[in-house]
Amino acid sequence: MAFSFFGGVHPKENKWYACDKETQEFPAPDLVVIPMSQHIGAPCKPLVKKGDLVKVGQKIGDNQGLCVPVHASVSGKVKAVEAKAHTSGTTVMSVVIENDHQDTLCEDIHPRTQEEVDALTPAEIIDIVHESGIVGMGGATFPTHVKLSGGIGKVDTVIVNAGECEPFITADDRLCREQPAKVIGGLKLIMKVFDLKEGHIGIEDNKPEAVKALRANLETADGITIDVLPAKYPQGAEKQLIYAVTGREVPSGGLPAAVGCAVFNAATCKAIYDAVYDGMPLIKRIVTVSGDILMEPKNLLVPIGTSFNDLIDACGHSENPYKVLSGGPMMGAAQYDLSVPTIKGVNAITVLGRRNEYAVEEPACLRCGKCIDVCPMKLMPVLMYKALQSGDVAEMKSVNVMDCIECGSCAYTCPASVPLVLGFRVAKQMIRNEAAKAKAKAKA
Amino acid sequence: MAQMKYFYELTISSSPHAHAPVTTKTIMRDVLIALVPALIGSVYFFGFRALMVTLVSITACVFFEWGWCKVMKKHCKVYDLSAVVTGTLLAFVCPVTIPYWTIILGDFFAIIVVKMLFGGLGQNIVNPALAGRAFMFSWPVLMSNWVKVGFENAAGLLSTADAVTAATPLGAMHQGMLPEATIGQMFLGNVGGCIGETSALLLLIGGVYLLYRKVITARIPVSYILTVAVLAFLFPRGNDRIAWMLSSLFSGGLMLGAIFMATDYVTSPITKLGQIIYGIGCGVVTILIRYFGGYNEGVSYAILVMNTCVVLLDRIGRPVKFGAPKKEAAK
């Protein structure tokens, strides 16, 4: 049963650039930069130092608390442990490894047989997921083991997110076409952790090949339903996907577990499968390198830590890039330094030409209300932006700025090109600052 | 391997990095396209002076906005075509005999006082074209100098002395009589009145285009026109309810006001329910002015009155956010 969430937009899908390009293995570069922070939570502490020799899959960073370890994606010598540019726009402590091109596998990596896997308890699976450094690979990079352990007993519906509603990106589409069994295998492991008999795969109807491939790998006994949803942005947004599949509304400020749901990206499922069956930590991922000025858009299986530069070079471009995005055009982050490494949450690198420029000087809201019609959270962006302009933090809160998921539907639609999402990010920060101030005051 | 092999001038900005093809300019362009049938009709009914008045008005509006930005050293956005729309609409609500200096003064009031002094496009509280018209009623005789339709009666481009004056349907209706003109004549626009308001048919064609292009929704025009229709039907003057209702719909500036002026984004409510109430309010005030006011046309003042209520109407019918706590009604 599929529901249609409110609002949404239909940006040009632009999937044709890369959707029929088979995933190629990108040769490991001479140098990889592995940031200690590739997840939401406490950054890792480096476990290696300059001059150390590391092997493929070796854990090179870990920490206590809400943290996910990171692993070497190549074998070789640690060239440096220093702060390096990061896709978040800041610098992050990173381990720089000089690739010796020997691909020496770490001794800790052991495949498991089906019997061994069947014997694993939920706690053991969660432990493997944690030790393998798995995070949400759709872009949010929330630690997967936390989602798993936090959902036990609460989650009655698990949904694989293969929506991939962002324009240009085809990484999950390719994954579902090429390795459907592993995505489904990962989902089955998650179902085992939650002790569920049923699972869902949510996918947009613009990926018929992927749907076919997934269906071909399903048996009725699996209890897995494929929910083919109408292509509409942001179909892959967690709350919208849950609504589309189950009709449940995640409460404002709450987590999906509050309505008994847990959502995992298709690539995350595949990573869980690899970790459990092959013992292989998350050191490679599929990245769509696409964009309107690339000579040859590609889907690449990329070692974590490969620079954007290397990947863009592999595709070539016909004119100087105007914007390079980590992610797609709707929610991706613009990069200024192409030496940034591909990290676990980068599902695409989108390279856009200057024709995509749309910003205007001194944008003037027309009050047309189109933003209200497209907001999938049923907010009123026009009033939220007005509240920001007035600088009234209480008003910003009362028009629900904190509920904004920054999907960009409003700013995409706004005829006056008002930088709505930018404004709401600022507004959210103002609200947080105010809250922190109030807290500090209460303490004093 | 060198890490910074190339240096590109990469642009950094917040997401989203894609934009829909609809912009302020395309919206204004669509409104202008939708006004073209009525403009052609006005030339047919009132002669080339109708086109001339419109062009003068457009030029004046564009000049005033551009000049204001130059003098105040503001970023000039006259290319968004909103001043062109204002100029066209103001000309459309004037009689064809209007002297050029009068409409230029009206343009000045509309653009400088109503629009730019309030902060430019999007900031004005009332519709600039209608406020300009209200200002021009400082010269009530000039604003009520109606002429007979047809080229042979047309006012000259420079002198309006030759024009044959005539009554408008609304004039008769204000006296409680059905107009002389037939319903068909009024629907086609073959009657006295302001430059762009007489032909319901041509304005409706423009309205359908705007609906098709999703520039406007049907909420405001339909609630406005329906309200007028229902009230006129319930409280007819004379014996023929249907004729009175249709005359009320096709006379005066109702179609122009309901389709092109009440739907002005800037001065209409943003919520769906607010828009419907606003349309109903426009209809009620229009009828009240037509029935009980001193002047026989109520559309422009009705819209101006309702413009001032938009701040309140914006508070009505706000959507309930996704994931809002459900009321205890579930019990």
Side-chain angles (χ1 to χ4, degrees):
Chain A
M1 170 102 184
F3 299 81
S4 180
F5 66 89
F6 177 87
V9 291
H10 293 96
K12 251 187 170 174
E13 288 173 5
N14 285 325
K15 303 269 192 196
W16 60 269
Y17 281 101
C19 71
D20 292 321
K21 306 282 175 65
E22 211 165 304
T23 308
Q24 302 168 6
E25 178 133 18
F26 185 77
D30 297 337
L31 208 67
V32 293
V33 177
I34 300 184
M36 291 296 108
S37 180
Q38 303 190 36
H39 57 271
I40 295 176
C44 298
K45 283 185 184 140
L47 300 176
V48 292
K49 56 186 188 304
K50 189 176 169 181
D52 283 1
L53 289 176
V54 295
K55 294 172 180 169
V56 174
Q58 183 183 335
K59 189 154 90 173
I60 56 172
D62 203 354
N63 202 348
Q64 302 292 310
L66 182 64
C67 183
V68 180
V70 291
H71 303 79
S73 57
V74 297
S75 62
K77 197 172 171 186
V78 175
K79 202 181 159 204
V81 179
E82 59 188 14
K84 284 280 196 187
H86 186 265
T87 48
S88 65
T90 56
T91 55
V92 166
M93 186 55 68
S94 306
V95 172
V96 183
I97 304 169
E98 205 164 22
N99 189 357
D100 62 8
H101 294 285
Q102 298 301 311
D103 290 337
T104 327
L105 205 61
C106 182
E107 305 80 19
D108 302 344
I109 294 166
H110 299 295
R112 290 181 182 82
T113 62
Q114 187 64 45
E115 288 74 41
E116 284 171 327
V117 172
D118 287 342
L120 289 173
T121 63
E124 284 167 340
I125 294 177
I126 292 173
D127 196 48
I128 294 168
V129 167
H130 179 209
E131 278 304 309
S132 304
I134 297 174
V135 300
M137 288 167 76
T141 65
F142 187 80
T144 302
H145 71 279
V146 177
K147 206 184 247 186
L148 286 172
S149 56
I152 291 180
K154 288 185 208 155
V155 170
D156 58 41
T157 308
V158 54
I159 305 168
V160 173
N161 186 352
E164 204 167 50
C165 52
E166 271 267 6
F168 288 106
I169 307 181
T170 56
D172 290 347
D173 184 12
R174 286 317 307 184
L175 177 68
C176 291
R177 287 198 214 182
E178 292 164 11
Q179 307 183 51
K182 291 190 176 177
V183 175
I184 291 166
L187 170 58
K188 284 181 186 164
L189 289 167
I190 295 168
M191 285 157 62
K192 186 175 174 187
V193 170
F194 290 139
D195 191 22
L196 297 174
K197 297 277 166 285
E198 284 172 43
H200 291 268
I201 300 178
I203 187 162
E204 284 190 336
D205 58 8
N206 59 0
K207 302 172 191 69
E209 295 286 325
V211 173
K212 216 160 80 188
L214 287 168
R215 283 231 167 96
N217 281 273
L218 280 180
E219 284 161 43
T220 25
D222 294 338
I224 293 171
T225 325
I226 297 182
D227 299 75
V228 182
L229 308 166
K232 175 165 84 165
Y233 181 87
Q235 191 64 265
E238 194 169 60
K239 292 178 177 182
Q240 278 61 36
L241 182 67
I242 291 171
Y243 182 76
V245 171
T246 68
R248 300 177 198 170
E249 278 190 29
V250 179
S252 168
L255 290 172
V259 289
C261 289
V263 179
F264 297 87
N265 180 264
T268 314
C269 291
K270 195 252 178 191
I272 293 172
Y273 180 93
D274 286 348
V276 172
Y277 281 88
D278 302 339
M280 185 57 84
L282 176 49
I283 56 168
K284 281 182 184 180
R285 68 154 302 146
I286 299 178
V287 178
T288 302
V289 186
S290 188
D292 57 356
I293 59 165
L294 288 189
M295 310 286 267
E296 203 188 336
K298 287 176 178 169
N299 296 294
L300 298 167
L301 183 63
V302 179
I304 299 294
T306 308
S307 79
F308 277 30
N309 239 337
D310 290 346
L311 296 176
I312 295 170
D313 276 357
C315 298
H317 43 79
S318 53
E319 57 185 90
N320 275 354
Y322 159 65
K323 277 182 186 172
V324 173
L325 313 172
S326 157
M330 294 302 283
M331 289 188 77
Q335 304 296 318
Y336 63 92
D337 181 348
L338 296 188
S339 73
V340 291
T342 306
I343 59 171
K344 294 170 187 174
V346 175
N347 52 3
I349 297 172
T350 308
V351 185
L352 298 176
R354 186 155 283 280
R355 71 184 69 91
N356 291 285
E357 187 170 7
Y358 70 87
V360 300
E361 245 178 276
E362 296 180 32
C365 170
L366 289 175
R367 289 173 41 88
C368 66
K370 288 184 199 292
C371 50
I372 302 171
D373 295 338
V374 300
C375 178
M377 297 303 288
K378 292 196 188 181
L379 305 177
M380 301 184 77
V382 46
L383 296 184
M384 290 152 66
Y385 197 76
K386 218 173 159 194
L388 169 72
Q389 285 178 318
S390 70
D392 183 345
V393 175
E395 175 69 14
M396 287 178 220
K397 261 196 255 176
S398 83
V399 290
N400 306 314
V401 170
M402 291 313 275
D403 284 280
C404 170
I405 57 169
E406 299 176 19
C407 69
S409 296
C410 53
Y412 167 82
T413 308
C414 178
S417 302
V418 176
L420 293 162
V421 176
L422 173 68
F424 303 152
R425 291 203 175 109
V426 174
K428 282 179 179 178
Q429 198 53 49
M430 285 170 80
I431 293 173
R432 286 193 202 107
N433 291 350
E434 195 88 344
K437 241 191 260 169
K439 211 173 169 186
K441 218 178 202 178
K443 258 187 192 168
Chain B
M1 190 189 267
Q3 284 297 297
M4 286 289 286
K5 269 209 296 201
Y6 308 114
F7 178 76
Y8 304 121
E9 292 221 354
L10 292 174
T11 301
I12 309 297
S13 69
S14 165
S15 61
H17 309 280
H19 194 268
V22 177
T23 65
T24 303
K25 193 175 171 178
T26 66
I27 287 172
M28 296 297 169
R29 196 178 59 204
D30 277 338
V31 173
L32 290 172
I33 291 171
L35 286 167
V36 165
L39 180 63
I40 294 171
S42 73
V43 174
Y44 175 76
F45 298 129
F46 299 117
F48 281 104
R49 189 180 168 93
L51 180 65
M52 199 63 201
V53 170
T54 309
L55 290 178
V56 166
S57 179
I58 290 172
T59 313
C61 281
V62 169
F63 173 78
F64 287 135
E65 182 163 329
W66 173 82
W68 170 269
C69 295
K70 281 283 157 220
V71 172
M72 302 306 287
K73 298 195 168 58
K74 297 257 185 205
H75 177 66
C76 183
K77 308 187 70 174
V78 77
Y79 56 81
D80 67 18
L81 299 180
S82 63
V84 179
V85 170
T86 301
T88 311
L89 287 177
L90 182 55
F92 272 23
V93 290
C94 292
V96 72
T97 51
I98 194 78
Y100 296 120
W101 62 266
T102 324
I103 196 154
I104 290 172
L105 279 180
D107 291 326
F108 178 85
F109 189 81
I111 293 293
I112 301 296
V113 179
V114 178
K115 185 177 172 189
M116 302 317 282
L117 278 181
F118 278 80
L121 182 65
Q123 303 295 319
N124 48 300
I125 294 166
V126 294
N127 183 302
L130 288 176
R133 178 177 198 250
F135 173 76
M136 288 166 73
F137 265 95
S138 309
W139 296 274
V141 178
L142 296 178
M143 287 298 283
S144 322
N145 186 13
W146 315 110
V147 296
K148 268 189 140 156
V149 292
F151 262 70
E152 66 281 8
N153 305 318
L157 282 180
L158 292 176
S159 156
T160 59
D162 296 342
V164 182
T165 56
T168 64
L170 271 182
M173 291 170 73
H174 195 233
Q175 309 296 324
M177 298 178 291
L178 279 174
E180 276 174 37
T182 64
I183 303 292
Q185 279 175 326
M186 284 194 279
F187 184 67
L188 292 174
N190 205 7
V191 291
C194 296
I195 289 174
E197 73 176 16
T198 58
S199 175
L201 172 68
L202 298 177
L203 291 165
L204 283 169
I205 290 172
V208 168
Y209 175 76
L210 290 183
L211 283 173
Y212 167 72
R213 297 280 296 162
K214 295 192 174 141
V215 170
I216 61 170
T217 65
R219 285 188 285 274
I220 293 173
V222 168
S223 59
Y224 189 170
I225 294 170
L226 265 185
T227 304
V228 171
V230 167
L231 288 176
F233 184 77
L234 291 180
F235 307 106
R237 291 176 164 182
N239 301 322
D240 194 341
R241 278 175 191 276
I242 303 288
W244 178 263
M245 182 185 83
L246 292 175
S247 302
S248 300
L249 293 184
F250 301 145
S251 63
L254 182 66
M255 292 295 159
L256 182 64
I259 296 169
F260 290 94
M261 293 174 154
T263 53
D264 172 22
Y265 293 147
V266 178
T267 55
S268 62
I270 47 177
T271 64
K272 293 182 171 65
L273 185 62
Q275 287 169 353
I276 290 169
I277 296 174
Y278 171 85
I280 293 172
C282 285
V284 170
V285 180
T286 300
I287 287 287
L288 285 177
I289 295 177
R290 282 186 180 179
Y291 278 34
F292 305 112
Y295 181 57
N296 57 34
E297 174 54 307
V299 169
S300 51
Y301 290 102
I303 297 173
L304 285 173
V305 167
M306 291 310 291
N307 283 168
T308 60
C309 302
V310 165
V311 167
L312 296 174
L313 291 174
D314 273 350
R315 302 191 155 271
I316 301 173
R318 293 191 180 182
V320 178
K321 71 177 178 184
F322 183 95
K326 293 275 178 291
K327 299 220 175 91
E328 288 179 42
K331 281 180 200 167

